[in-house]
Amino acid sequence: MTTNESFPKFDLPVDFIADDSITGDILNYYGNFPCKIKAGVFMLCTEGMVRATINLLEIVIRKNDFIVVLPNSFIQIHEVSSDTRISFAGFSSDFMLSGNYVEILLDFMPMILNSPVISLQEDVAGLYRNVYLLLIRAYTLPHSLENKEIIRSVLAIFLQGTKELYKRYGKKLDEPLRREQELYRQFIQLLMVHYTKEHEVAFYAEKCGVTAAHFSSAIRRASGYSPLAIITEIIIMNAKAQLKTTRLPVKEIAFSLGFNNHSFFNKYFRKKVKMTPLEYREK
């Protein structure tokens, strides 16, 4: 876990890892606060149930569900059954970029953002279970996955596999909704870069090249939330994470999130969370 910007950001120290050891106990450990996943992760739930939020979208994960967590996603675990078991293949943020994942998945980004979980039929899920088992065995053998070109091929398989899954199972979007989802994708990408300094909807609308009124209505139709609510939620998620995982003074946390007035940040936080930042920290 890296701690740049005093916010929990999970990345991989190696280019690639595959495992099937994610259990309910492990997921519950990370359920106390939101975090940002810098790596790209492709997961298959083989047992149990998980209720979580990925990029403000609440999801329920069950057996045979395939989950795509794109780099720089916000995630928080809310509820996990004790029998949960998840297989995963993870690629570091730098390796995902080197694999041109954005270009490869570009046409499917709106669908992935709108629905990061796909329920697989039993035979397809069985095929993916075998893929994970093979990768896990290869990963444990000495020197088997040191060649970057081999790892690049593994990433290509997951990216192409993800495209095929969304072609087959993804919910098709009509043209107007597809355009709105594309605007929503742009908004989320801009938000990840600027939210610690820019809190106004007009800033993001201008960056996207549309009027604030059109921007607000499009984002609401695409996501179900107003852009201001999304901005607020991201800021609050960051604040909660810093309060729970650092001992930084509240004043410094406020400044790191673009609030020059400590008192205003306290009111902003309390309005959303129903308690002061200090009360939340000590909860």
Side-chain angles (χ1 to χ4, degrees), residues 82-102:
S82 59
D83 61 338
T84 295
R85 192 88 181 189
I86 290 179
S87 300
F88 74 95
F91 301 85
S92 71
S93 56
D94 287 342
F95 202 81
M96 288 288 290
L97 285 173
S98 72
N100 296 319
Y101 82 93
V102 173

Side-chain angles (χ1 to χ4, degrees), residues 19-80:
D19 207 341
D20 63 352
S21 62
I22 297 183
T23 62
D25 289 340
I26 291 174
L27 290 174
N28 273 318
Y29 178 78
Y30 294 104
N32 295 322
F33 52 84
C35 62
K36 187 176 182 180
I37 307 295
K38 293 188 70 179
V41 188
F42 303 88
M43 297 179 281
L44 178 71
C45 179
T46 55
E47 293 292 342
M49 182 281 298
V50 180
R51 187 172 61 84
T53 296
I54 299 179
N55 294 329
L56 308 183
L57 181 68
E58 186 165 314
I59 59 171
V60 177
I61 299 165
R62 296 185 175 86
K63 182 178 179 180
N64 293 341
D65 282 352
F66 183 76
I67 309 101
V68 181
V69 179
L70 296 174
N72 295 316
S73 291
F74 284 94
I75 187 167
Q76 182 169 15
I77 306 298
H78 303 299
E79 181 183 358
V80 185

Side-chain angles (χ1 to χ4, degrees), residues 95 143-152:
F95 202 81
H143 313 300
S144 62
L145 291 175
E146 289 183 356
N147 187 311
K148 285 187 181 291
E149 290 307 312
I150 293 177
I151 302 175
R152 210 176 305 281

Side-chain angles (χ1 to χ4, degrees), residues 94-255:
D94 287 342
F95 202 81
M96 288 288 290
L97 285 173
S98 72
N100 296 319
Y101 82 93
V102 173
E103 182 179 344
I104 293 171
L105 296 179
L106 186 60
D107 290 342
F108 297 90
M109 284 289 194
M111 276 196 282
I112 294 172
L113 286 169
N114 195 54
S115 181
V117 178
I118 290 183
S119 297
L120 304 182
Q121 295 175 350
E122 181 61 40
D123 57 341
V124 179
L127 177 63
Y128 270 81
R129 281 195 294 271
N130 290 334
V131 170
Y132 283 107
L133 288 173
L134 178 61
L135 289 174
I136 291 165
R137 288 184 62 188
Y139 187 79
T140 57
L141 295 175
H143 313 300
S144 62
L145 291 175
E146 289 183 356
N147 187 311
K148 285 187 181 291
E149 290 307 312
I150 293 177
I151 302 175
R152 210 176 305 281
S153 297
V154 174
L155 174 57
I157 289 171
F158 273 98
L159 292 176
Q160 292 298 330
T162 297
K163 286 178 62 174
E164 292 303 315
L165 287 177
Y166 275 90
K167 281 181 185 177
R168 183 173 177 181
Y169 298 105
K171 183 180 178 181
K172 298 293 189 298
L173 303 174
D174 58 32
E175 188 61 24
L177 186 55
R178 193 191 68 78
R179 290 196 298 269
E180 289 162 0
Q181 287 290 343
E182 176 59 24
L183 191 61
Y184 176 59
R185 182 185 69 82
Q186 286 181 262
F187 173 43
I188 294 298
Q189 288 181 328
L190 288 167
L191 194 59
M192 295 303 101
V193 176
H194 298 289
Y195 76 92
T196 58
K197 295 180 180 179
E198 301 291 345
H199 303 168
E200 299 296 326
V201 172
F203 170 84
Y204 297 98
E206 183 179 353
K207 283 285 186 181
C208 290
V210 297
T211 67
H214 174 74
F215 181 78
S216 294
S217 62
I219 297 303
R220 185 180 289 277
R221 285 194 297 270
S223 68
Y225 299 93
S226 71
L228 184 59
I230 294 172
I231 294 168
T232 300
E233 190 67 24
I234 291 291
I235 292 170
I236 294 297
M237 287 174 72
N238 188 314
K240 284 181 175 180
Q242 291 196 57
L243 288 165
K244 287 294 188 182
T245 61
T246 77
R247 298 310 298 177
L248 287 172
V250 173
K251 186 175 182 179
E252 287 190 29
I253 293 174
F255 287 161

